[in-house]
Amino acid sequence: MRSCLLVSGGEKGLRARLGRMRQLLCQTDHVEIQVDEEPGVWLRSFHLLDLQEHTEDPVQEWGEEVEDGAIYGVTLHREPIQPPPDATESDAAFGFMQYRTLKVRRLKAATLDRLVTELVNPECPDPDYMHIFLSTYRAFTCTNALIELLFQREDMVTNLNNSVCVKSSLPRLIRLWLDEFHEDLRDSPDHQALRLLCVHLRHRLCCRRLVNQADALLRKFQTEDKQICTSAEVSASAVENPATEDNLDGQEVQEIGDVLDFPAQDIAEQLTILDAELFSKVVPFHCLGCIWSQRDKKENQNLVSTVRATIAQFNVVTNCVITSLLCPPATSPPGSPPCHRSSPTYRAKIIEKWISVAQECHQLRNFSSLRAILSALQSNAVYRLKKTWAVISRESMAVFEHLCDTFPDENCVLINREILVEEGNQAADVETYSAPKSPRLSPTCKHMSSSSGEVPYLGTYLTVLTMLDTALTDNVEGGLINFEKRRKEFEILSLIRQLQASCAHYTLQSHPRIISWINSSMSLSDQKR
């Protein structure tokens, strides 16, 4: 909004206008003044600029375009035109900024055939389309079916004698698949999908260089399968022959210790080593709501194994905190009464130590173990120890309360309203698409240093992906695959991948004795807690 005031006129009118002008000038320092170029410059008028005026959004939603088997969302992008290199500053044509408007289409819903066609389209306008598709396709088709569709489509555009390779994105797609999404092709013990891919690659001149890479991946999978089988046989042999444990070194069978025997920083570092290793192995598509929700079915016992491993480690840490309080070692320090280890004062020291460990985990940005420790200390089994909590120092309580209060924001929690449909939208509203919005992160995560590692609490992302899967339909009217839903899921999966990459930045020293102590804590049933 601009305010304009003319100040020319008679003496009486001029005074009134000058008074009004003085009031407006007091409200802002930004004034646009227009003057006459006649001798004895006269102030004719001025414009009061609105400082809260918003600049025009360079990206605007225009609408949808419906084609046979596909729905496209259309946006208009406004971008500046750069002057040519030989343009001079005095060139009147480029004395001001010029803009042009571009029409950009993104695929919102389509049949599987149209999605695959777009996947190998060398002129696809969406630079992230391949990554989105490969990250989420397991939600609506299987790997073997996708391989067959890809090469069937390729055969349709290749000449009959296969002597000429037309322009296609298939080689680039296969390379991306083998480099970043090769876990899709792991299917022990036969790895049928990978073998099928190798067969197709050998019959394509364009993909001859990829055959060696696919064969190498198959050999890698087979070697890892053999190692797993060997480890399983060794474990089974140890269970059947417990007498072999007598051969262990005497130092390994002695008492490992308890939480008070180790520095808090060392405990936090060992927890971070374990958590970072497991989180970096998580296969992102295992986190999809439609995949994760099937884990409890009888035929899916081996499904999402990488996610199950992180949950198992979380439970180990939680159990370690609780058992250190409720089941202390049987031995007591010399000269101490028999009930020393069960006294409120001693248990308070253990809680204070775990609070210190949690604080160190926070410094290391290990939010997985941080959440596990806080959950254990807030559990009914520990919370009911009223006498113990009464003797904990004020400093430790202040740290504990601060960690509990700030954990949601520090854990890079996604703001669900930015991802999910607004509350109150029913199924019909869900099918009405809108422009995809990127999830917002907490400021801490936005400015995460590239030189530091971070292990998130994976449960946050599992919850958001499950909510997305529940709120948005898999198909829209006409049976088209809801690819807009997959875009939103990809936003979460890409964040998981970024955090996985950050885990490689940790450089921590291993302490086997602490790790053995963590893993040696007994598990307590709910009745014993």
Side-chain angles (χ1 to χ4, degrees):
M1 183 186 73
R2 296 173 178 267
S3 298
C4 179
L5 178 65
L6 295 177
V7 296
S8 60
E11 182 179 356
K12 183 176 181 181
L14 178 61
R15 290 180 180 177
R17 291 181 176 85
L18 288 176
R20 175 57 179 160
M21 183 180 69
R22 186 179 297 106
Q23 294 178 2
L24 293 174
L25 288 175
C26 293
Q27 299 176 8
T28 180
D29 295 332
H30 300 269
V31 177
E32 181 182 321
I33 302 177
Q34 298 180 359
V35 298
D36 273 336
E37 296 181 356
E38 297 291 332
V41 179
W42 290 88
L43 177 64
R44 299 295 303 274
S45 65
F46 73 94
H47 295 279
L48 180 64
L49 302 179
D50 188 351
L51 300 181
Q52 297 182 351
E53 183 178 2
H54 298 287
T55 58
E56 185 179 354
D57 190 351
V59 179
Q60 295 181 357
E61 279 295 309
W62 186 78
E64 291 182 349
E65 291 184 356
V66 181
E67 297 181 0
D68 184 23
I71 300 176
Y72 290 88
V74 180
T75 55
L76 301 179
H77 292 244
R78 180 172 173 266
E79 60 180 30
I81 299 177
Q82 299 299 329
D86 56 348
T88 61
E89 295 182 1
S90 60
D91 193 341
F94 296 96
F96 54 90
M97 183 64 69
Q98 293 181 324
Y99 291 87
R100 63 182 174 185
T101 301
L102 302 178
K103 174 184 173 182
V104 179
R105 300 201 312 173
R106 72 178 187 280
L107 197 58
K108 300 178 69 173
T111 62
L112 181 58
D113 288 339
R114 289 296 298 265
L115 291 176
V116 173
T117 300
E118 190 79 1
L119 191 61
V120 292
N121 178 15
E123 298 179 355
C124 178
D126 188 348
D128 294 327
Y129 184 80
M130 282 189 181
H131 286 84
I132 297 172
F133 188 98
L134 291 177
S135 295
T136 60
Y137 77 89
R138 296 287 291 269
F140 51 84
T141 189
C142 64
T143 305
N144 284 19
L146 176 59
I147 294 174
E148 293 289 0
L149 282 172
L150 283 171
F151 287 97
Q152 286 176 10
R153 191 268 174 196
E154 194 70 6
D155 290 340
M156 293 173 60
V157 295
T158 306
N159 61 346
L160 295 179
N161 61 9
N162 201 29
S163 61
V164 179
C165 185
V166 298
K167 185 178 180 181
S168 170
S169 298
L170 183 60
R172 182 164 63 95
L173 171 69
I174 300 299
R175 186 176 295 107
L176 176 65
W177 203 350
L178 294 173
D179 288 341
E180 298 186 24
F181 301 92
H182 55 264
E183 285 297 328
D184 296 357
L185 305 168
R186 185 192 294 273
D187 184 18
S188 302
D190 297 329
H191 307 289
Q192 294 181 356
L194 183 54
R195 292 180 184 274
L196 177 62
L197 179 61
C198 291
V199 170
H200 281 291
L201 292 176
R202 289 190 181 95
H203 291 82
R204 302 299 191 286
L205 292 176
C206 300
C207 304
R208 287 183 299 178
R209 296 182 179 180
L210 297 172
V211 174
N212 293 336
Q213 184 178 357
D215 288 337
L217 182 61
L218 179 58
R219 290 193 297 270
K220 176 185 175 183
F221 285 167
Q222 292 172 337
T223 301
E224 291 174 353
D225 291 344
K226 291 179 180 179
Q227 293 174 349
I228 293 174
C229 291
T230 302
S231 301
E233 292 174 358
V234 172
S235 300
S237 176
V239 173
E240 295 175 359
N241 304 289
T244 56
E245 297 179 359
D246 296 337
N247 298 327
L248 295 175
D249 186 84
Q251 293 181 351
E252 296 181 356
V253 298
Q254 67 182 1
E255 182 184 355
I256 297 178
D258 64 10
V259 65
L260 298 180
D261 295 335
F262 310 109
Q265 182 177 356
D266 290 349
I267 296 175
E269 289 181 355
Q270 301 318 295
L271 293 175
T272 302
I273 291 175
L274 295 172
D275 293 335
E277 180 181 3
L278 290 173
F279 178 69
S280 62
K281 294 180 180 179
V282 168
V283 180
F285 81 79
H286 286 175
C287 301
L288 286 174
C290 60
I291 305 293
W292 175 243
S293 62
Q294 304 297 316
R295 67 191 182 279
D296 293 329
K297 292 185 177 180
K298 197 171 187 180
E299 65 273 17
N300 296 332
Q301 293 180 354
N302 296 324
L303 192 67
V304 297
S305 57
T306 58
V307 180
R308 292 179 189 270
T310 62
I311 295 175
Q313 172 62 18
F314 181 92
N315 293 336
V316 165
V317 177
T318 302
N319 185 71
C320 187
V321 176
I322 295 176
T323 54
S324 67
L325 282 162
L326 304 185
C327 298
T331 58
S332 299
S336 62
C339 62
H340 169 74
R341 299 254 175 173
S342 300
S343 66
T345 302
Y346 186 83
R347 283 178 167 169
K349 291 181 180 179
I350 296 178
I351 291 179
E352 291 175 354
K353 187 59 170 285
W354 279 117
I355 293 175
S356 298
V357 173
Q359 190 174 24
E360 293 293 338
C361 287
H362 181 271
Q363 294 295 326
L364 291 169
R365 302 194 65 76
N366 178 4
F367 297 107
S368 182
S369 284
L370 172 59
R371 175 61 180 266
I373 295 171
L374 296 180
S375 298
L377 294 179
Q378 292 174 318
S379 66
N380 291 333
V382 177
Y383 180 77
R384 68 183 181 183
L385 303 175
K386 302 296 185 180
K387 295 181 180 180
T388 298
W389 286 99
V391 295
I392 293 176
S393 65
R394 292 183 177 180
E395 293 78 7
S396 294
M397 284 300 301
V399 171
F400 177 65
E401 292 173 356
H402 175 72
L403 292 175
C404 292
D405 292 340
T406 60
F407 175 82
D409 294 331
E410 293 291 333
N411 186 44
C412 298
V413 170
L414 302 165
I415 300 178
N416 297 346
R417 292 178 182 271
E418 292 291 323
I419 305 164
L420 303 179
V421 295
E422 293 292 337
E423 291 183 359
N425 286 359
Q426 304 300 322
D429 296 324
V430 173
E431 296 178 1
T432 303
Y433 293 100
S434 59
K437 297 180 180 179
S438 298
R440 293 196 292 128
L441 300 178
S442 67
T444 307
C445 184
K446 282 183 178 179
H447 303 290
M448 183 180 65
S449 172
S450 60
S451 61
S452 61
E454 180 167 339
V455 184
Y457 171 55
L458 189 59
T460 299
Y461 298 86
L462 294 175
T463 300
V464 173
L465 287 168
T466 301
M467 294 172 66
L468 264 176
D469 184 59
T470 304
L472 301 177
T473 59
D474 292 331
N475 300 91
V476 299
E477 185 177 356
L480 303 182
I481 296 173
N482 186 352
F483 198 70
E484 195 75 353
K485 173 180 179 178
R486 306 308 163 192
R487 289 181 187 275
K488 293 178 180 294
E489 291 176 330
F490 170 74
E491 293 172 351
I492 315 302
L493 298 184
S494 63
L495 293 175
I496 294 177
R497 287 185 176 275
Q498 292 173 19
L499 292 169
Q500 285 179 314
S502 77
C503 290
H505 298 146
Y506 284 116
T507 54
L508 303 174
Q509 184 178 0
S510 177
H511 294 280
R513 186 165 176 252
I514 297 179
I515 294 178
S516 298
W517 162 70
I518 293 172
N519 294 327
S520 66
S521 59
M522 67 180 69
S523 180
L524 295 179
S525 63
D526 293 337
Q527 291 78 12
K528 293 182 179 180
R529 291 183 179 180

